[in-house]
Amino acid sequence: AKVVFLLLQTNGLNGVLPSEIGKLSQLQMLYLQKNSVHGTVPSEMGMLVQLEYLELSDTNIDGSLPSEIGMMSQLRTLGLSNTNLDGSIPSQIGMLSQLQELLMYKNNMGGSLPSEIGMLSQLQYIMLSATNIDGSIPSEVGMLSQLQYLRLFQNKMGGSIPSQIGLLSELQYLRLDDNDNIYGSIPSEIGMLSQLQELGLWENNISGSIPSEIGMLSQLQTLYLDSNDINGSIPSEIGMLSNLQHLGFDKNSIHGAMPSEIGMLSQLLHLWLYENAISSTMPSEIGLLSKLENIRIYENDLSGTIPSEIGMLSQLQMFWLSNNYVDGTIPSEVGMLSQLLALDLHNNGISGFIPSQVGRLSQLQQLKLTDNNIEGTIPSEVGMLSQLENLWLFLNNINGTIPSEIGNLSSIKWISLNKNTNFTGTIPTEVGKLSTLERLSITHTLITGPIPTEIGMLSSLLRFLINDNNVTGPIPSEIGLLSTLTHVRLFTNRLNGTIPNEIGNLIFLQESIFNLSSNLLTGTIPMELGMLSTVQSLDLSMNRLTDSLLHLGDNETSSLHYLNVSYNNLTSFPLFGTRLQKLETLDLTSNQINQDVSVGLADLSSIQDLILSNNFFYGSIPNTIRSLVRLERLHLDHNHLIGTIPDDILSLVRLRELKVSHSQQERQCFSAIWDCGVSAGIYQGGDICCYSDSGARVCSDEAGVEIEYPQFCLTPGLRGTIPAGFTNTPYLQVLELSNNFLTGNIPREIGGLSRLKVLDLTNNSLTGSIPSALGVLADAVVLVQGNDMIRGQNKNDKIAPLSLCSNVPGFDLFDDPTWCPPERNMLKEFFNDAKGQEWTNAAGWVGKFNNHCDWHGVECNEEGRIVNLMLGNGGLSGRISSKIVNL
């Protein structure tokens, strides 16, 4: 008795294949699939010359396939799929003359497909997908006259598809997809595959056009050519594929028209042509595709209108036409698509109204009409769409009000009506019935009225975005019930009342920005805002908030990086003792904060932008300002500062903007005892503060104090000189020191600030001359007017440096004929064009400050106008400047 069959599949086997298996000389069937067998295929297996069926699939077999496999001359099925085999397919496989099935998909093998495979004249199945095979498809594959299945997808194969593939007259399934490296065109011989049912070539580098011969594949059911570099147009012969069910040409460079013959594909279920350059209009014949379930033709160049025949597609479930140039209206016949699940027409030029018939689409889940020119109102029939999940109508011209029937959308998850600038009316209270709603977005419209309290019933809401509208009334406390809320945007409305304490319940906010700016909110800022530990940016600017922010930094886990409460009515902001160590930007512009600027600044250790403009901060800029080493913008302008600008401010090497302007105050006199708390007779100098009749605190340093017994008269403001050392601030772009009582000279090193865009020193008491070094600031605005003591180099001259007058158009005295005589500039150009550096006598020429009438060879009249220019025998060369005609 000899062993003929060994059938142990799915039997819990373990261990390795013994070499002794080769002694089973009469063995015809060996089934060991779906076991835990491991190790290599023993070479002795080649001795099984009677073996017809070998199945080792779904095991842990590894190593390479021994060449002795070619000795199994009776083998019909070789099953080695889903194993750990590596190495390449041995060429000896061509010796298996009886082989019908080569099943070796999902392995770790590599190498190329041996040309000897063409010798397997009985072969019907080649299943080698996901096997890491590379190289090209051998032309010898065309010799496999019995082949029915050729599956080489998900490999690393390259080269072109051999024309010999057209000889496979019995071939039914051809899958070469997802190889990435197969290139060249589709051979016209492919039209000879009269039995072919499936052709998959997607995700390769195939180029050229689709051959018209493809229309000869009369049995074809599936045709996928997507994700290649195919160009040209769709051949009209495509209409001959009467059995075709799946057509995918997407993600190519196909252009031209969609052929009307496409309407002849009576069995078609899926039509995928998206992400091409197909132009012209949708053919009306598309309405003949009575079995069509899915149309995806988005991201093309289609134009014209949507044909009314679309309503004939009674089985249609998906219609995606977005990102084209389609215009006209949405045909009312769309209401006949009773099976439709998704209608996506966004980013076209569609106009007209949303047809009321859309309410008949009882299965519709997605309605996306965004970014069109749709007008009119939202039809109330939309409320009949009980399965609708996404309603996207933003970026249109829709007007009217939001219909109350929207509350009937019992499955809705996302409503987006943004940027319909003619939307009016209010948010309907019925919105509270939408228990499944996750996103409500109605921004940039004209809606008014209050936020309905019913908003608190939206237990699933994640995003509530109604910014940039005219919404009025208070923020309802019910917003605190939205425990799942991750994003809320209420800015730029007309909301009034106080910020509800319940806002602190929104502990799951994920958006790093919490913005209530540009409203009419009043009252104090609730301490509960400090509980929003995930918020990094808090913007409450442009409201009418009052009092202090004492508690805002009390949360030790605060991650606040940005805080903007500008343009409110806050009276204090305690910088000291807060826990805002992560704060990078603090903007308190235009409040009524009345406190000492010197207290607490050093606690803002991470601050980069400190904006305190337009308040009533008083006192001196502290030397501790130097500890804010990350500071890039420091705005202290329009406050009541006194003292001097400390040199320490120039140790801030990252500084880009320094604004310390407008600290000048009017002279005020006070009763020494009653208003200032000290007798004029015993005042020993130093800073002094007095209180006006309105209770305002007025402080001055000693330089601004005058005693007119029994009164103190104070003229507060910043005094002293502009600190030297601007070479330490190379990134400075804005330096504004105007409207102070600064004295002394303008530091020449300011001219070394190559990034400077604005230098404003106006309305001070500066003296000396304007440094010529400022002449290199060619792109800057340089303002010095209002310093009556500034002179030229000679004390009696009012003349600015030639470099400023000729190089810096933004110099505020640039057009002043006294400071910047225009004829001096003309002579400078004359000097340069005539190579003045080589003249034999150029005494006085192009001096920084000297009057041009004193230059050698120049004679002026009493008005300082040039009348004679005598430069003969002076060594002039080059050319005569055209500006000479303006003298």
Side-chain angles (χ1 to χ4, degrees):
K2 298 288 185 179
V3 177
V4 178
F5 299 155
L6 188 55
L7 311 178
L8 298 175
Q9 67 270 25
T10 319
N11 205 37
L13 296 182
N14 207 331
V16 299
L17 285 175
S19 59
E20 289 80 3
I21 201 167
K23 296 179 180 180
L24 301 177
S25 59
Q26 301 300 311
L27 193 63
Q28 298 176 21
M29 296 179 66
L30 176 58
Y31 281 10
L32 300 179
Q33 68 266 33
K34 295 184 179 180
N35 281 292
S36 299
V37 177
H38 58 274
T40 61
V41 178
S43 59
E44 290 81 359
M45 194 167 279
M47 300 167 61
L48 302 177
V49 294
Q50 301 299 319
L51 194 65
E52 297 181 10
Y53 302 95
L54 173 59
E55 259 294 359
L56 298 176
S57 300
D58 298 297
T59 66
N60 295 322
I61 292 291
D62 55 23
S64 59
L65 194 62
S67 59
E68 288 82 359
I69 201 87
M71 299 167 59
M72 303 165 71
S73 58
Q74 301 302 312
L75 199 63
R76 298 183 181 182
T77 297
L78 176 57
L80 294 169
S81 301
N82 200 20
T83 69
N84 296 320
L85 281 175
D86 53 29
S88 59
I89 300 173
S91 60
Q92 288 82 357
I93 204 165
M95 299 168 61
L96 302 178
S97 59
Q98 303 301 313
L99 194 65
Q100 297 176 5
E101 298 180 331
L102 178 58
L103 314 175
M104 297 174 60
Y105 54 88
K106 291 186 180 179
N107 281 296
N108 297 321
M109 302 178 73
S112 59
L113 191 61
S115 59
E116 288 81 0
I117 204 165
M119 300 167 60
L120 304 178
S121 59
Q122 303 301 311
L123 198 60
Q124 299 176 20
Y125 294 84
I126 296 181
M127 306 290 207
L128 294 176
S129 59
T131 313
N132 290 322
I133 294 176
D134 54 24
S136 59
I137 302 170
S139 59
E140 288 81 0
V141 79
M143 300 167 59
L144 303 176
S145 59
Q146 304 299 314
L147 197 64
Q148 300 175 25
Y149 285 73
L150 178 56
R151 295 192 170 184
L152 301 175
F153 59 91
Q154 291 183 8
N155 281 297
K156 299 177 180 178
M157 302 189 76
S160 59
I161 301 172
S163 59
Q164 290 84 351
I165 209 155
L167 301 173
L168 303 178
S169 58
E170 300 299 320
L171 195 64
Q172 299 177 26
Y173 297 91
L174 175 58
R175 292 276 306 275
L176 304 178
D177 47 277
D178 199 9
N179 272 286
D180 292 336
N181 297 316
I182 293 179
Y183 56 83
S185 59
I186 301 171
S188 59
E189 289 82 359
I190 209 158
M192 300 167 59
L193 303 177
S194 58
Q195 303 300 313
L196 198 64
Q197 298 178 31
E198 180 179 16
L199 175 58
L201 303 179
W202 73 87
E203 292 192 22
N204 281 292
N205 287 316
I206 296 172
S207 56
S209 58
I210 302 169
S212 59
E213 289 82 359
I214 209 159
M216 300 168 60
L217 302 177
S218 58
Q219 302 301 313
L220 199 63
Q221 298 177 17
T222 300
L223 175 57
Y224 286 140
L225 307 180
D226 53 282
S227 303
N228 280 288
D229 295 321
I230 297 172
N231 51 38
S233 59
I234 301 172
S236 59
E237 289 81 0
I238 201 82
M240 299 168 60
L241 302 178
S242 57
N243 289 298
L244 196 64
Q245 298 178 13
H246 305 278
L247 173 59
F249 291 169
D250 48 284
K251 296 184 178 180
N252 279 288
S253 300
I254 297 170
H255 53 80
M258 187 186 303
S260 59
E261 289 81 0
I262 212 159
M264 300 168 61
L265 303 177
S266 58
Q267 303 302 310
L268 198 63
L269 302 175
H270 294 163
L271 176 59
W272 291 0
L273 304 176
Y274 60 91
E275 294 185 34
N276 279 290
I278 299 171
S279 56
S280 76
T281 61
M282 287 180 62
S284 59
E285 289 81 359
I286 204 166
L288 300 173
L289 304 178
S290 58
K291 294 185 178 182
L292 197 61
E293 298 176 354
N294 196 316
I295 301 177
R296 300 187 185 188
I297 48 179
Y298 58 89
E299 291 192 36
N300 277 285
D301 296 327
L302 291 169
S303 58
T305 61
I306 301 171
S308 59
E309 289 81 0
I310 202 82
M312 300 167 59
L313 304 179
S314 58
Q315 302 302 310
L316 195 63
Q317 299 176 17
M318 303 285 181
F319 184 26
W320 292 1
L321 185 58
S322 61
N323 294 290
N324 280 285
Y325 300 98
V326 175
D327 53 23
T329 61
I330 301 171
S332 59
E333 289 81 0
V334 79
M336 300 167 61
L337 304 176
S338 58
Q339 303 300 312
L340 198 63
L341 301 176
L343 176 59
D344 187 351
L345 308 178
H346 81 266
N347 196 19
N348 278 285
I350 296 171
S351 56
F353 303 157
I354 301 172
S356 59
Q357 290 83 353
V358 80
R360 300 175 185 172
L361 304 177
S362 58
Q363 303 301 313
L364 196 65
Q365 297 175 10
Q366 296 187 30
L367 178 57
K368 298 181 180 180
L369 307 179
T370 62
D371 203 1
N372 280 288
N373 298 314
I374 296 172
E375 303 168 328
T377 61
I378 300 175
S380 59
E381 289 81 0
V382 160
M384 300 167 61
L385 303 176
S386 59
Q387 302 301 312
L388 195 65
E389 296 181 359
N390 293 334
L391 176 60
W392 290 8
L393 303 179
F394 58 90
L395 281 169
N396 279 289
N397 296 316
I398 298 172
N399 55 39
T401 61
I402 302 171
S404 59
E405 289 81 359
I406 207 165
N408 297 328
L409 300 177
S410 55
S411 301
I412 198 70
K413 293 182 179 179
W414 192 339
I415 296 176
S416 183
L417 309 178
N418 304 341
K419 296 187 178 179
N420 284 282
T421 55
N422 294 317
F423 246 143
T424 57
T426 62
I427 302 173
T429 58
E430 289 79 2
V431 78
K433 297 162 60 178
L434 305 177
S435 59
T436 60
L437 189 63
E438 297 177 356
R439 301 185 181 196
L440 177 59
S441 184
I442 312 172
T443 71
H444 300 87
T445 75
L446 297 177
I447 62 169
T448 58
I451 301 172
T453 57
E454 289 80 1
I455 203 80
M457 300 167 61
L458 301 179
S459 56
S460 300
L461 197 63
L462 301 175
R463 297 186 177 216
F464 181 43
L465 315 178
I466 60 166
N467 54 281
D468 292 278
N469 291 296
N470 291 319
V471 178
T472 58
I475 301 173
S477 60
E478 287 80 1
I479 201 169
L481 299 174
L482 303 177
S483 58
T484 59
L485 204 62
T486 60
H487 296 71
V488 57
R489 298 180 188 174
L490 307 179
F491 57 88
T492 315
N493 278 288
R494 299 185 63 81
L495 294 168
N496 55 38
T498 60
I499 302 173
N501 298 336
E502 290 79 1
I503 209 123
N505 296 336
L506 307 180
I507 57 176
F508 292 108
L509 285 180
Q510 294 178 3
E511 193 172 36
S512 61
I513 300 173
F514 186 72
N515 192 343
L516 296 177
S517 67
S518 300
N519 279 289
L520 302 173
L521 298 171
T522 57
T524 60
I525 299 173
M527 62 181 300
E528 285 77 7
L529 269 180
M531 299 168 59
L532 303 179
S533 58
T534 59
V535 171
Q536 296 182 16
S537 175
L538 177 59
D539 192 346
L540 305 177
S541 62
M542 301 184 73
N543 279 287
R544 299 175 180 177
L545 299 168
T546 56
D547 296 336
S548 173
L549 288 171
L550 181 62
H551 45 267
L552 200 55
D554 285 351
N555 185 358
E556 292 189 14
T557 63
S558 174
S559 57
L560 206 59
H561 291 181
Y562 176 94
L563 176 59
N564 188 349
V565 288
S566 60
Y567 296 93
N568 278 286
N569 296 319
L570 300 178
T571 55
S572 66
F573 186 94
L575 300 170
F576 58 91
T578 62
R579 296 169 181 163
L580 299 176
Q581 294 93 345
K582 298 179 182 178
L583 199 63
E584 296 175 354
T585 297
L586 173 62
D587 191 346
L588 304 178
T589 303
S590 295
N591 278 280
Q592 299 179 29
I593 299 174
N594 190 345
Q595 64 187 51
D596 191 337
V597 73
S598 65
V599 179
L601 282 183
D603 293 335
L604 299 174
S605 56
S606 299
I607 202 72
Q608 296 177 13
D609 299 318
L610 182 59
I611 317 297
L612 307 181
S613 309
N614 287 289
N615 279 287
F616 298 99
F617 282 101
Y618 57 83
S620 301
I621 303 172
N623 293 330
T624 53
I625 196 82
R626 63 178 176 272
S627 65
L628 306 183
V629 294
R630 299 182 181 180
L631 202 59
E632 297 181 8
R633 293 198 300 159
L634 177 60
H635 294 188
L636 301 175
D637 54 287
H638 293 86
N639 279 289
H640 292 170
L641 303 180
I642 61 174
T644 61
I645 301 173
D647 292 342
D648 304 83
I649 216 163
L650 298 183
S651 65
L652 304 173
V653 295
R654 297 185 180 184
L655 206 59
R656 292 184 292 110
E657 296 181 8
L658 175 60
K659 295 185 179 182
V660 196
S661 63
H662 292 85
S663 287
Q664 285 181 358
Q665 298 175 53
E666 295 293 330
R667 184 174 185 268
Q668 299 181 60
C669 294
F670 302 90
S671 171
I673 294 294
W674 298 107
D675 298 331
C676 307
V678 62
S679 168
I682 62 173
Y683 172 63
Q684 299 295 315
D687 296 352
I688 191 169
C689 292
C690 303
Y691 291 89
S692 68
D693 294 340
S694 64
R697 181 180 175 121
V698 180
C699 298
S700 177
D701 60 354
E702 182 177 351
V705 177
E706 298 176 78
I707 300 176
E708 294 183 1
Y709 193 84
Q711 292 183 320
F712 284 121
C713 292
L714 309 184
T715 309
L718 281 172
R719 289 180 165 78
T721 60
I722 300 173
F726 280 99
T727 53
N728 297 326
T729 57
Y731 303 107
L732 202 62
Q733 298 175 15
V734 175
L735 177 58
E736 294 185 4
L737 305 177
S738 65
N739 292 278
N740 291 300
F741 296 116
L742 300 177
T743 57
N745 295 333
I746 301 172
R748 62 184 309 277
E749 63 263 25
I750 291 177
L753 300 175
S754 59
R755 294 177 171 85
L756 201 63
K757 300 298 180 186
V758 176
L759 172 62
D760 189 354
L761 305 176
T762 56
N763 298 322
N764 279 287
S765 300
L766 297 171
T767 56
S769 58
I770 304 171
S772 61
L774 301 186
V776 300
L777 303 177
D779 298 324
V781 173
V782 179
L783 310 176
V784 299
Q785 293 192 56
N787 290 279
D788 296 336
M789 300 302 292
I790 288 180
R791 293 289 186 270
Q793 200 166 36
N794 297 319
K795 293 185 177 180
N796 295 323
D797 291 340
K798 284 191 173 183
I799 190 165
L802 180 59
S803 57
L804 267 167
C805 293
S806 59
N807 297 337
V808 186
F811 179 40
D812 61 353
L813 299 174
F814 190 84
D815 295 320
D816 188 314
T818 301
W819 287 93
C820 290
E823 291 191 343
R824 183 174 61 154
N825 289 345
M826 297 174 197
L827 286 184
K828 180 188 177 186
E829 292 199 27
F830 177 84
F831 179 83
N832 292 334
D833 288 351
K835 299 185 179 180
Q837 300 298 333
E838 300 174 1
W839 293 0
T840 57
N841 188 351
W845 277 77
V846 296
K848 295 178 180 178
F849 287 97
N850 55 342
N851 193 308
H852 62 286
C853 294
D854 297 330
W855 296 358
H856 168 72
V858 178
E859 181 180 343
C860 298
N861 60 17
E862 293 180 358
E863 289 82 25
R865 304 295 298 275
I866 299 171
V867 294
N868 288 316
L869 191 59
M870 297 168 290
L871 298 171
N873 294 319
L876 278 68
S877 60
R879 65 186 184 88
I880 298 174
S881 170
S882 61
K883 295 294 179 66
I884 202 77
V885 303
N886 295 320
L887 296 177

